[in-house]
Amino acid sequence: MKKEINPEYLTCPIRQVISHFGDKWSMLVLYSLAQSETGVMRFNELHAHMSDCSQKMLSKTLKQLQESHLIDRKVYPEVPPRVEYWLTDTGKSLIPAIDQLIGWAKTHFDEVVRP
């Protein structure tokens, strides 16, 4: 039997918006771009910051963040292709909230991860 979805879920900001960046890889990409000196990073630079993330997962994450208008990218017609990523204005506006979450995580780390 198929469970019916509550229509209120479809308009819930928490479910609908946070699902676009709430996973650990998305937040790490956004934070890495925000911390970059130039605000622009290439794929391999991002991957170096997130070495525990596979290239396939990083690629998927970057595509999802671009579709959500949080990052943008430019492909240069070179061999091999050079691709650069940066935060959009919408992505930049999210960084203060991510910074607050990081601060909270540092303060409560032991409480949250304690077995």
Side-chain angles (χ1 to χ4, degrees):
M1 178 191 271
K2 191 174 183 180
K3 192 173 184 178
E4 197 171 311
I5 296 175
N6 183 334
E8 291 178 9
Y9 291 176
L10 301 175
T11 58
C12 175
I14 292 171
R15 286 178 177 85
Q16 297 303 313
V17 174
I18 293 181
S19 69
H20 289 264
F21 64 84
D23 63 282
K24 70 179 179 178
W25 302 125
S26 292
M27 290 225 190
L28 287 170
V29 167
L30 295 169
Y31 187 73
S32 294
L33 288 170
Q35 296 301 305
S36 168
E37 282 186 28
T38 62
V40 177
M41 295 179 81
R42 294 174 66 177
F43 183 91
N44 286 335
E45 290 176 289
L46 283 164
H47 192 249
H49 281 256
M50 304 165 49
S51 59
D52 53 336
C53 179
S54 70
Q55 289 186 349
K56 181 178 178 181
M57 181 55 74
L58 179 56
S59 181
K60 179 181 174 185
T61 300
L62 290 166
K63 287 176 187 169
Q64 289 173 336
L65 289 171
Q66 187 179 8
E67 289 170 1
S68 298
H69 309 285
L70 296 173
I71 67 169
D72 211 345
R73 72 181 212 145
K74 181 174 182 178
V75 179
Y76 293 88
E78 301 171 355
V79 177
R82 176 170 52 116
V83 183
E84 295 179 337
Y85 298 89
W86 62 89
L87 294 170
T88 62
D89 288 341
T90 303
K92 288 176 187 174
S93 72
L94 180 57
I95 298 305
I98 292 175
D99 284 337
Q100 285 186 316
L101 181 59
I102 290 168
W104 182 90
K106 288 177 179 177
T107 300
H108 299 283
F109 182 82
D110 290 334
E111 298 163 55
V112 173
V113 299
R114 177 179 41 224

